[in-house]
Amino acid sequence: VVMGSSQSSLSVRCELKNKGIKDLLKDLKQPRLLTAFSSLEILDVSKNKITGVPPEIASDFTSSPNVRNNLRVLNISKNRLTNIPDCLYSCINVVEFRADSNQIAELSDKILEFYQLSILSLVGNKIKRLPYNMERLRQLTYLDVGGNDIESLPNALGQMPMLMELSCFPNPFVDPRYQQFDGLVELFAYIRRQSVPATYKKDYRTAKAEEKAKIEDLTPDERLTRGLLRYSEGKTAITMFMKKEHSDENLSFYYDVRDFRKKYNSKVEIATQALIDDAVIIYEKYISSAGTRQVNLSSERISPIKKSFEDTYNFPNGINQWVFDECYNESFDLMVRDTFQRFRLSAEGKKVVDLYNNYKDRSRNKRKKLRDTSRSATGTAGSGQSSVSESRH
């Protein structure tokens, strides 16, 4: 063991590398070694045969403020670890973390708890994917994930302004174009563009034009259903009717997706973290096989959505404000063809339809009156201007 300075020093470096350590508890002559220092900042246990951290040592990381708050550099490279021990994530002030040449197969989202992390090196493991919300590592300037089993990079990498150096080769990327870019700028720009697959790719103007065209092509039944779902009395009556039929899942899904689309109806195509989180909530509630309120929609519509959310290597690429559009439209069509036809024949349905038609007539007359008043005022102003002009002449 090499100590960088004395125990009373403000900065302590503890090196245990290349000591043939297999069991930290048995092979260390001082099992409470980590807590013996007032301020342990650097810990290097690389080039050993460590397979895990026993509870007695793990407690030093989780319960000792000297270790948890002061550790800045942590190196566990060239060991036999299959995962990053959970106790290490409690060291929230780590700025440099290296875990190269282990057998790590999965990178936990807990890595994102290293808020101060500036350097992250995970070379030569078996990692299949990076956490999709990597942008939470706002201080990260260097990332090396070469020599793993990663097939695609999360688009969040393109949202990390501090990241200046990225090494990601070799990896079995599905998209061969990853290797053709010259520098980070081109690679990040490409990742951003690829965040929306072709089936969902559209810009803001296209989406608005499609929505307008769809409204103009609505049938009378579709137009009436759409109006009732936006009319407070109609919304309440239809909801109660569908609950009685035990078929209100599609209606609930319709409203949640409509609110989701309104909330993220922006010109920005790249999904934000908030958008992704809200989309996951909708997916897990209505579409996932384990959903609590699964909607009764065709597999033709459900399958592409499931692929977008359950493809471990590609998620969250393809998640945007339009991801539920096809299911949203089908749920509306089903309500028009089935539920609404029964609803409008019921006593409550007839009453609400009459109320809605009266409401529409009043609104139409009010708008007409406002237009007539506006035209009258414009005509009067024009006539007055003409009189003044003639008087001057």
Side-chain angles (χ1 to χ4, degrees):
V1 179
V2 178
M3 306 299 173
S5 59
S6 67
Q7 294 184 13
S8 61
S9 172
L10 291 176
S11 178
V12 178
R13 175 188 183 93
C14 179
E15 290 190 5
L16 297 168
K17 66 180 180 181
N18 203 18
K19 299 296 179 182
I21 298 173
K22 295 181 180 179
D23 188 311
L24 284 170
L25 192 60
K26 293 180 180 179
D27 293 344
L28 285 179
K29 294 180 180 179
Q30 294 178 312
R32 305 294 296 176
L33 180 67
L34 299 181
T35 59
F37 307 101
S38 60
S39 181
L40 180 62
E41 292 191 0
I42 301 172
L43 177 61
D44 188 344
V45 293
S46 61
K47 299 182 181 179
N48 284 290
K49 301 175 183 179
I50 299 170
T51 58
V53 179
E56 293 83 354
I57 301 293
S59 64
D60 290 345
F61 289 96
T62 57
S63 62
S64 173
N66 291 342
V67 179
R68 187 177 66 245
N69 298 332
N70 298 319
L71 196 63
R72 297 290 185 271
V73 179
L74 180 56
N75 190 348
I76 58 173
S77 299
K78 297 185 178 179
N79 279 286
R80 298 177 181 177
L81 295 166
T82 56
N83 56 50
I84 297 173
D86 285 346
C87 62
L88 301 184
Y89 295 121
S90 61
C91 303
I92 57 175
N93 292 317
V94 168
V95 296
E96 179 179 337
F97 180 63
R98 297 181 183 275
D100 303 328
S101 302
N102 279 282
Q103 300 170 27
I104 300 170
E106 183 177 357
L107 186 61
S108 169
D109 287 352
K110 291 180 180 180
I111 194 74
L112 305 176
E113 296 175 13
F114 287 152
Y115 297 115
Q116 305 298 323
L117 197 62
S118 176
I119 297 173
L120 176 60
S121 185
L122 301 164
V123 180
N125 283 285
K126 300 178 181 179
I127 298 169
K128 295 181 178 179
R129 73 172 186 89
L130 299 177
Y132 72 87
N133 46 352
M134 284 286 289
E135 77 278 3
R136 286 171 55 185
L137 296 176
R138 298 183 181 278
Q139 305 301 319
L140 197 66
T141 61
Y142 174 91
L143 175 62
D144 194 342
V145 290
N148 281 282
D149 296 328
I150 300 171
E151 294 189 354
S152 66
L153 297 173
N155 65 292
L157 291 179
Q159 303 169 27
M160 302 173 68
M162 297 291 289
L163 188 60
M164 303 303 294
E165 189 171 350
L166 170 65
S167 179
C168 54
F169 300 105
N171 269 298
F173 291 123
V174 174
D175 192 336
R177 283 171 288 188
Y178 275 7
Q179 304 185 43
Q180 300 174 5
F181 300 112
D182 182 18
L184 287 179
V185 175
E186 289 187 10
L187 177 58
F188 287 167
Y190 179 71
I191 292 172
R192 286 193 185 99
R193 291 195 300 271
Q194 294 307 302
S195 65
V196 183
T199 52
Y200 297 118
K201 191 171 288 186
K202 61 175 86 173
D203 59 27
Y204 177 76
R205 291 181 180 177
T206 302
K208 295 299 288 184
E210 289 178 359
E211 186 73 16
K212 185 177 180 181
K214 183 173 178 59
I215 293 172
E216 291 175 351
D217 294 338
L218 291 176
T219 65
D221 278 355
E222 289 173 337
R223 197 174 295 276
L224 180 57
T225 305
R226 186 174 183 273
L228 285 172
L229 292 175
R230 284 162 170 75
Y231 178 54
S232 59
E233 285 84 351
K235 177 179 178 180
T236 303
I238 292 177
T239 302
M240 293 301 295
F241 180 81
M242 294 185 74
K243 281 184 177 180
K244 289 178 182 177
E245 291 194 337
H246 304 288
S247 61
D248 60 316
E249 293 85 2
N250 280 15
L251 181 62
S252 180
F253 171 74
Y254 175 84
Y255 281 130
D256 282 355
V257 173
R258 191 184 72 178
D259 293 342
F260 172 79
R261 294 170 73 193
K262 283 183 178 179
K263 184 176 180 180
Y264 298 106
N265 187 16
S266 69
K267 297 182 181 181
V268 180
E269 290 189 38
I270 298 301
T272 62
Q273 185 57 48
L275 185 150
I276 293 170
D277 291 342
D278 286 350
V280 168
I281 291 172
I282 293 175
Y283 173 77
E284 290 181 345
K285 184 177 181 181
Y286 296 106
I287 298 177
S288 169
S289 301
T292 56
R293 305 203 71 196
Q294 289 185 53
V295 289
N296 184 23
L297 300 176
S298 66
S299 60
E300 182 182 356
R301 298 287 180 261
I302 293 291
S303 295
I305 304 295
K306 282 190 172 182
K307 185 176 181 181
S308 294
F309 282 87
E310 296 180 6
D311 185 348
T312 306
Y313 304 124
N314 198 45
F315 181 82
N317 297 340
I319 309 302
N320 61 13
Q321 58 263 57
W322 303 294
V323 69
F324 298 113
D325 272 16
E326 296 296 329
C327 288
Y328 174 80
N329 292 333
E330 183 171 302
S331 69
F332 177 75
D333 292 341
L334 286 173
M335 285 190 289
V336 172
R337 296 197 309 266
D338 186 27
T339 308
F340 179 69
Q341 299 304 324
R342 294 194 302 276
F343 170 74
R344 69 187 303 181
L345 293 175
S346 68
E348 184 62 24
K350 291 177 181 178
K351 180 181 175 181
V352 170
V353 169
D354 288 341
L355 286 173
Y356 174 67
N357 287 331
N358 291 334
Y359 165 76
K360 276 207 314 179
D361 290 340
R362 290 196 305 271
S363 298
R364 190 181 300 113
N365 292 334
K366 187 177 180 179
R367 288 195 299 271
K368 183 177 183 300
K369 186 176 180 180
L370 286 173
R371 283 197 300 269
D372 292 343
T373 303
S374 176
R375 288 171 183 169
S376 177
T378 304
T380 303
S383 175
Q385 238 178 2
S386 176
S387 299
V388 171
S389 177
E390 289 175 5
S391 175
R392 287 177 178 171
H393 181 69

